[in-house]
Amino acid sequence: MSIDIAARQQWLATLAHSRSEDLLRFWQQLEIDPECEVIRQPEVGLTRLQGRMGGTGDVFNFADTTVTRTVIRLADGTLGYGFIQGRDKHKAMLVAIADALLQQTEFHLRLQTHLIQPLAELQQLAKANTAKEMASSKVDFFTLVRGED
């Protein structure tokens, strides 16, 4: 199966940004337990977050965050990568396994339908709720101009 890089980036982003509880719940419903070899045990490290002044200006480092990464190989040699923010080693492993299975024709449609789409919908709902909460507290500032004497 030929994998579109943009599609893979999208499913990896969806998996990485999902809540651990949601990922585990949808994963368990699939009842898939593939045989795999752990190439790189889940390990926790630090990475620097960068920003840009004014959103478009010079790059600067503004924080460090923990990340967890792992790599697995399925029996057929397909590699799966899990790279997430935080210290959840189990989530990183699930992301890696899902990544590897999504690259296979046999599992791709099933995982897209029953794992990636529901997780993406939950993320969109969370974003919409956050936007709604923010909009309810929005304050409009205005300036009164005094007339000239």
Side-chain angles (χ1 to χ4, degrees), residues 1-2 4 18 25 50 56 65 74 77-78 81 93 100 102 108 127 132 134 139:
M1 176 175 174
S2 177
D4 177 30
S18 65
R25 178 168 43 103
Q50 294 183 331
T56 58
T65 189
L74 296 178
T78 305
Y81 297 87
M93 185 66 74
L102 279 158
H108 184 81
K127 284 180 186 178
K132 187 177 179 180
M134 290 175 59
V139 177

Side-chain angles (χ1 to χ4, degrees), residues 9-60:
Q9 289 172 338
Q10 185 63 42
W11 78 57
L12 282 169
T14 300
L15 291 167
H17 290 108
S18 65
R19 292 178 357 150
S20 297
E21 304 83 33
D22 296 332
L23 178 59
L24 185 58
R25 178 168 43 103
F26 289 118
W27 181 259
Q28 288 173 338
Q29 291 173 0
L30 291 168
E31 297 180 350
I32 298 174
D33 188 21
E35 182 180 323
C36 64
E37 173 189 3
V38 178
I39 302 297
R40 179 184 296 266
Q41 288 291 332
E43 58 187 9
V44 177
L46 281 177
T47 190
R48 289 235 163 111
L49 300 177
Q50 294 183 331
R52 290 190 176 272
M53 295 189 189
T56 58
D58 293 337
V59 175
F60 66 97

Side-chain angles (χ1 to χ4, degrees), residues 75-86:
D76 71 350
T78 305
L79 293 174
Y81 297 87
F83 196 93
I84 63 161
Q85 185 176 6

Side-chain angles (χ1 to χ4, degrees), residues 28-146:
Q28 288 173 338
Q29 291 173 0
L30 291 168
E31 297 180 350
I32 298 174
D33 188 21
E35 182 180 323
C36 64
E37 173 189 3
V38 178
I39 302 297
R40 179 184 296 266
Q41 288 291 332
E43 58 187 9
V44 177
L46 281 177
T47 190
R48 289 235 163 111
L49 300 177
Q50 294 183 331
R52 290 190 176 272
M53 295 189 189
T56 58
D58 293 337
V59 175
F60 66 97
N61 295 326
F62 70 89
D64 291 330
T65 189
T66 56
V67 293
T68 304
R69 67 180 181 173
T70 189
V71 181
I72 63 101
R73 179 175 33 225
L74 296 178
D76 71 350
T78 305
L79 293 174
Y81 297 87
F83 196 93
I84 63 161
Q85 185 176 6
R87 298 173 171 268
D88 191 341
K89 293 179 179 180
H90 185 64
K91 179 182 175 184
M93 185 66 74
L94 281 178
V95 169
I97 293 169
D99 175 46
L101 291 174
L102 279 158
Q103 296 175 61
Q104 298 187 331
T105 307
E106 178 183 352
F107 293 102
H108 184 81
L109 184 59
R110 184 172 169 202
L111 287 174
Q112 279 289 344
T113 304
H114 300 290
L115 183 68
I116 301 301
Q117 287 177 356
L119 289 172
E121 289 170 6
L122 286 176
Q123 291 170 17
Q124 288 299 321
L125 183 61
K127 284 180 186 178
N129 288 338
T130 300
K132 187 177 179 180
E133 288 175 20
M134 290 175 59
S136 70
S137 65
K138 181 179 176 186
V139 177
D140 290 322
F141 292 95
F142 60 92
T143 304
L144 294 176
V145 178
R146 290 185 160 183

